[in-house]
Amino acid sequence: MKGLRMAGVTDPGKRRSNNEDAIATVPALGLAILADGMGGHLAGEVASGIAVDIVKRGLINELDDSKKRTRQNGLSPEAAALKDSIELANRAIHEASSQHTEYAGMGSTIAVVLFHGNKVCIAHVGDSRVYRLRDGKLVQVTEDHSMIQELLRRGFITPEEAKLSTNKNMVTRALGVESNVEVELAEETVHEGDIYLLCSDGLSDVLEDAVVEQILLRFDTEFENALEYMVTEVNAKGGPDNVSAVLVRAQRNFKRDREAVKELADAASR
């Protein structure tokens, strides 16, 4: 199947009463977002909701083709807009957390892909991940901002020990925790037919990468079926956390749907 295609799913899992994950896809803009909230009662879902909403609206507005855009500090206009939108979401979550006692301490991870031309911008904060399936091989293209990953990087623990750790969810970076945040940002050339997977740790902590790879290869372009199967597998293994995933099939020479984006920008400004 040709073209840029997206599908997503979010599920509370088997042990959580509410879902603190949030996702959004805007195919006309080449945008997919996933966030995993954290905090007290309902605060996590508030944080992830703010993150997804502000990033989506910010990019719709900034990448409306009626506006002139230039490179900033070596970043493409798309990468610069993506970075700015995530930083704006961080400030909004931090302010809400500071001003409302019921939201004190809330935060959110985020993972975003934004396609333009033959490129994709990949941004993340926290331990929500982005993977790429190319030529039958699944590769993790983001590195978790987590205590476990830091210990692994420094050689203090082995990959096997990391898998058995009870501290997998201790993130070292998240939106809203402080007034400023360092956004991990990368840009790479896409190949026709590349598949990008965004997922929360509710998926990556339960299913091995090799299992996810086989699921994607088995279902190929049947994204909805692949996503449903992954969620079913996670829940069959106890569903310990909310589980969310977004799949995107890349397209070289992707062009934003100018009219659709303008309509979205007009609607967002009302």
Side-chain angles (χ1 to χ4, degrees), residues 53-113:
D53 182 60
I54 287 183
V55 171
K56 181 175 71 172
R57 287 193 291 113
L59 288 170
I60 287 171
N61 183 56
E62 288 303 314
L63 298 179
D64 174 1
D65 280 348
S66 66
K67 297 185 176 182
K68 293 183 179 180
R69 303 176 308 278
T70 58
R71 296 185 70 87
Q72 298 179 27
N73 300 320
L75 298 176
S76 68
E78 289 79 9
L82 177 53
K83 180 175 181 290
D84 289 347
S85 69
I86 294 176
E87 290 175 345
L88 182 61
N90 177 75
R91 291 193 294 273
I93 296 170
H94 185 262
E95 288 174 7
S97 175
S98 301
Q99 295 170 5
H100 302 276
T101 55
E102 66 271 30
Y103 298 151
M106 73 176 178
S108 179
T109 69
I110 195 164
V112 187
V113 291

Side-chain angles (χ1 to χ4, degrees), residues 26 28-29 35 45 82 92 112 114 133 159 199 214-215 221 223 233 267:
V26 188
L29 190 61
E45 59 192 71
L82 177 53
V112 187
L114 177 64
L133 181 71
C199 69
Q214 288 304 309
I215 293 171
T221 58
F223 280 0
E233 287 293 290

Side-chain angles (χ1 to χ4, degrees), residues 158-234:
T158 66
E160 291 71 26
E161 289 171 331
K163 291 177 183 178
L164 299 174
S165 174
T166 58
N167 298 317
K168 289 182 180 180
N169 305 117
M170 293 181 63
V171 297
T172 55
R173 203 182 303 180
L175 299 183
V177 176
E178 298 180 357
S179 57
N180 295 304
V181 70
E182 182 181 354
V183 180
E184 193 88 15
L185 187 65
E187 198 165 25
E188 64 180 36
T189 301
V190 301
H191 292 188
E192 188 73 32
D194 282 350
I195 293 176
Y196 287 83
L197 165 69
L198 289 70
C199 69
S200 61
D201 63 347
L203 176 71
S204 57
D205 280 352
V206 177
L207 298 186
E208 297 281 349
D209 289 1
V211 173
V212 175
E213 178 182 279
Q214 288 304 309
I215 293 171
L216 294 179
L217 291 174
R218 172 183 173 184
F219 289 99
D220 192 23
T221 58
E222 298 173 352
F223 280 0
E224 289 80 4
N225 291 340
L227 292 166
E228 180 182 356
Y229 191 89
M230 282 190 277
V231 170
T232 299
E233 287 293 290
V234 169

Side-chain angles (χ1 to χ4, degrees), residues 216-263:
L216 294 179
L217 291 174
R218 172 183 173 184
F219 289 99
D220 192 23
T221 58
E222 298 173 352
F223 280 0
E224 289 80 4
N225 291 340
L227 292 166
E228 180 182 356
Y229 191 89
M230 282 190 277
V231 170
T232 299
E233 287 293 290
V234 169
N235 286 334
K237 295 178 180 294
D241 198 357
N242 307 148
V243 54
S244 298
V246 177
L247 288 170
V248 184
R249 186 179 180 88
Q251 174 191 18
R252 287 181 62 83
N253 301 313
F254 170 74
K255 294 182 180 179
R256 290 188 288 273
D257 185 332
R258 295 183 178 181
E259 290 302 316
V261 174
K262 188 176 186 307
E263 290 178 5

